[in-house]
Coordinates of all heavy atoms in Angstrom, one line a residue:
L206 N -28.8 40.7 -4.2 CA -28.3 40.6 -2.9 C -29.4 41.1 -1.9 O -29.5 40.5 -0.8 CB -27.1 41.5 -2.7 CG -25.9 40.9 -3.5 CD1 -24.7 42.0 -3.4 CD2 -25.4 39.6 -2.9
A207 N -30.1 42.1 -2.2 CA -31.1 42.6 -1.2 C -32.2 41.5 -1.0 O -32.6 41.2 0.1 CB -31.8 43.9 -1.8
L208 N -32.7 40.9 -2.1 CA -33.7 39.8 -2.1 C -33.2 38.6 -1.3 O -33.9 38.0 -0.5 CB -34.1 39.4 -3.4 CG -35.1 40.4 -4.2 CD1 -35.1 40.2 -5.6 CD2 -36.5 40.2 -3.6
T209 N -31.9 38.3 -1.5 CA -31.3 37.2 -0.8 C -31.2 37.5 0.7 O -31.5 36.6 1.5 CB -29.9 37.0 -1.4 OG1 -29.9 36.6 -2.7 CG2 -29.2 35.8 -0.6
E210 N -30.8 38.7 1.1 CA -30.7 39.0 2.5 C -32.0 39.1 3.2 O -32.2 38.6 4.3 CB -29.9 40.2 2.7 CG -28.4 40.1 2.3 CD -27.6 39.1 3.2 OE1 -27.9 39.0 4.4 OE2 -26.9 38.3 2.6
C211 N -33.0 39.6 2.5 CA -34.4 39.7 3.1 C -34.9 38.3 3.4 O -35.5 38.0 4.4 CB -35.3 40.4 2.1 SG -35.0 42.2 2.0
K212 N -34.7 37.4 2.4 CA -35.1 36.0 2.5 C -34.4 35.3 3.7 O -35.1 34.6 4.5 CB -34.9 35.3 1.2 CG -35.2 33.8 1.2 CD -34.8 33.1 -0.1 CE -35.0 31.6 0.0 NZ -34.6 31.0 -1.3
K213 N -33.1 35.6 3.8 CA -32.3 34.9 4.8 C -32.8 35.3 6.2 O -32.9 34.5 7.1 CB -30.8 35.3 4.6 CG -29.9 34.5 5.5 CD -28.5 35.0 5.4 CE -28.0 34.9 3.9 NZ -26.6 35.3 3.8
Y214 N -33.1 36.6 6.3 CA -33.6 37.2 7.6 C -34.9 36.5 8.0 O -35.1 36.0 9.2 CB -33.7 38.7 7.7 CG -34.5 39.2 8.8 CD1 -34.0 39.2 10.1 CD2 -35.8 39.6 8.7 CE1 -34.7 39.6 11.2 CE2 -36.6 40.0 9.8 CZ -36.0 40.0 11.0 OH -36.7 40.4 12.1
I215 N -35.8 36.5 7.1 CA -37.2 36.0 7.4 C -37.1 34.5 7.7 O -37.8 34.1 8.7 CB -38.1 36.2 6.2 CG1 -38.4 37.7 6.0 CG2 -39.4 35.4 6.3 CD1 -39.1 38.0 4.7
L216 N -36.4 33.7 7.0 CA -36.3 32.3 7.3 C -35.6 31.9 8.6 O -35.9 30.9 9.2 CB -35.6 31.5 6.1 CG -36.3 31.5 4.8 CD1 -35.5 30.8 3.7 CD2 -37.7 30.9 4.9
K217 N -34.7 32.8 9.0 CA -33.9 32.5 10.3 C -34.6 33.0 11.5 O -34.2 32.6 12.6 CB -32.5 33.1 10.2 CG -31.6 32.3 9.3 CD -30.2 32.9 9.3 CE -29.2 32.0 8.5 NZ -27.8 32.5 8.6
E218 N -35.6 33.9 11.4 CA -36.2 34.5 12.5 C -37.2 33.5 13.2 O -38.2 33.1 12.6 CB -37.0 35.8 12.1 CG -37.7 36.5 13.2 CD -36.8 36.8 14.4 OE1 -35.9 37.6 14.2 OE2 -37.1 36.2 15.5
D219 N -36.9 33.1 14.4 CA -37.6 32.1 15.1 C -39.0 32.6 15.6 O -39.9 31.8 15.9 CB -36.8 31.6 16.3 CG -35.6 30.8 15.9 OD1 -35.6 30.3 14.8 OD2 -34.6 30.8 16.7
N220 N -39.2 33.9 15.7 CA -40.5 34.4 16.1 C -41.6 34.3 15.1 O -42.7 34.5 15.4 CB -40.3 35.9 16.6 CG -39.5 36.1 17.7 OD1 -39.4 35.2 18.6 ND2 -38.7 37.2 17.8
F221 N -41.2 33.9 13.9 CA -42.2 33.8 12.8 C -42.6 32.3 12.7 O -41.7 31.4 12.7 CB -41.7 34.3 11.5 CG -41.3 35.8 11.5 CD1 -40.2 36.2 10.8 CD2 -42.1 36.7 12.2 CE1 -39.8 37.5 10.8 CE2 -41.7 38.0 12.2 CZ -40.6 38.4 11.5
S222 N -43.9 32.0 12.6 CA -44.3 30.7 12.3 C -44.0 30.4 10.8 O -43.7 31.3 10.0 CB -45.8 30.5 12.5 OG -46.6 31.2 11.6
N223 N -44.2 29.1 10.4 CA -44.0 28.8 9.0 C -44.9 29.5 8.0 O -44.5 30.0 7.0 CB -44.1 27.3 8.8 CG -42.9 26.5 9.2 OD1 -41.8 27.0 9.2 ND2 -43.2 25.3 9.6
T224 N -46.2 29.7 8.4 CA -47.1 30.4 7.5 C -46.8 31.9 7.5 O -46.9 32.6 6.5 CB -48.6 30.2 8.0 OG1 -48.7 30.4 9.4 CG2 -49.0 28.7 7.6

Side-chain angles (χ1 to χ4, degrees):
L206 290 172
L208 283 159
T209 299
E210 290 301 318
C211 290
K212 175 183 175 182
K213 189 184 299 183
Y214 167 75
I215 291 169
L216 292 180
K217 285 187 175 181
E218 180 53 63
D219 293 333
N220 291 327
F221 301 141
S222 68
N223 281 333
T224 50

